[in-house]
Amino acid sequence: MKKARIAVLVSGGGTNLQALLDAEQSGILQSGEIVLVVSNNPNAYALERAASAGVESAVLKGPGFEDALRDLLHERGIDLIILAGFMRILSADFTAEWPERILNVHPALIPSFCGKGFYGLRVHEAALERGVKVTGATVHFVNEIPDGGEIILQKAVEVFPGDTPELLQKRVMEQAEWILLPRAAELVSKGIIK
Ligand code: GAR
C-alpha cells in the first residue's frame, strides 16, 4: 500500500514524535510513514528518539534554515510535514508552498492561549493565570497566521485545583496531544494517498 511520506519537525523532548512513532508501530498510523525528523536544536532529545526508531534525522538552523529545509523535504519526497513541539514560526512563503500539508499540535483549545509567544509551558502558565477550568489540545493545519489555520481535532482536559504548569502540561499531553496528533496524522495521510 502506498503511504504518505511524513517529515516531523521538532525542537525538544519529542514526546509527540514518540507518540507518532508508536502509532506507526501499533497501526493507528497506517496511511503514512515517518521518513524524516528535522530539528532546529542539535541537543533535542527527539533526535535520539528518531535514531532509536531508525528514522533519518537532520539538524538545520540559522538564517538559511528554511531554504535548507525546503531542499531536504523535496529531496526526500515528503508529502506531509508535522510540527511536533517545533518552536520556530515558519514564514508565509514557506507555509504557502504547503497548503493543508503542514500539521501542528498546540497545547490549548484554540482560539484560547495561542498565537505568537504562546508555546510550551508558557501556554499552561497563561491558562492557570486566567483560571480556566478546562483546557486541552488542538491539531490544526498551519498557514501564515501563527496557530491560525483550520482546526482538525480538539480535545478538552480538566484543570484541577493545585495544578502547576508542569502538571497541567503532562495531563494535556497524556489525555489529548499524544492521542490527537497520531489520529490527525492518519486522517490527513489517508486523504493524501487517496
Ligand atoms: C507540546 O506540549 C506541544 O504541544 C508544544 O510543545 C510541547 C512539546 O513537547 N508545542 C507548542 O507549544 C507549539 N506552539 P514534545 O517535544 O515532548 O512533543
Side-chain angles (χ1 to χ4, degrees):
M1 188 180 81
K2 190 184 171 321
K3 293 191 181 203
R5 292 173 62 79
I6 300 173
V8 184
L9 273 53
V10 297
S11 300
T15 63
N16 280 288
L17 167 66
Q18 192 64 56
L20 289 165
L21 293 166
D22 293 349
E24 213 184 313
Q25 285 300 312
S26 70
I28 290 172
L29 174 57
Q30 48 176 297
S31 304
E33 60 178 325
I34 299 157
V35 295
L36 178 66
V37 170
V38 177
S39 177
N40 63 338
N41 167 14
N43 302 317
Y45 184 68
L47 291 166
E48 315 225 351
R49 297 181 189 272
S52 302
V55 174
E56 180 191 0
S57 66
V59 176
L60 303 176
K61 48 188 190 136
F65 173 83
E66 278 192 3
D67 289 335
L69 177 62
R70 189 178 281 116
D71 290 348
L72 186 58
L73 295 172
H74 288 302
E75 274 166 27
R76 297 294 183 271
I78 298 301
D79 302 300
L80 176 64
I81 302 166
I82 300 182
L83 311 185
F86 182 63
M87 301 302 179
R88 191 182 154 136
I89 291 176
L90 295 166
S91 74
D93 281 348
F94 186 93
T95 58
E97 286 171 35
W98 298 85
E100 297 190 357
R101 287 291 181 279
I102 312 175
L103 293 182
N104 180 47
V105 60
H106 183 73
L109 293 173
I110 290 175
S112 290
F113 313 116
C114 67
K116 209 163 178 278
F118 286 98
Y119 55 85
L121 263 191
R122 174 72 202 117
V123 177
H124 304 292
E125 281 164 8
L128 291 175
E129 275 162 23
R130 187 63 186 82
V132 294
K133 304 303 175 209
V134 172
T135 183
T138 304
V139 179
H140 62 94
F141 283 125
V142 174
N143 64 10
E144 73 287 358
I145 303 159
D147 297 323
E150 184 191 337
I151 291 170
I152 301 167
L153 295 174
Q154 284 190 307
K155 190 166 185 282
V157 174
E158 259 188 284
V159 179
F160 294 140
D163 266 350
T164 60
E166 290 80 6
L167 278 173
L168 187 56
Q169 179 182 53
K170 187 163 178 277
R171 190 176 315 118
V172 168
M173 283 176 159
E174 285 173 355
Q175 295 186 7
E177 295 185 52
W178 300 341
I179 301 164
L180 289 192
L181 189 59
R183 244 186 233 166
E186 171 59 21
L187 206 69
V188 176
S189 295
K190 211 171 179 175
I192 290 174
I193 58 172
K194 251 195 196 154

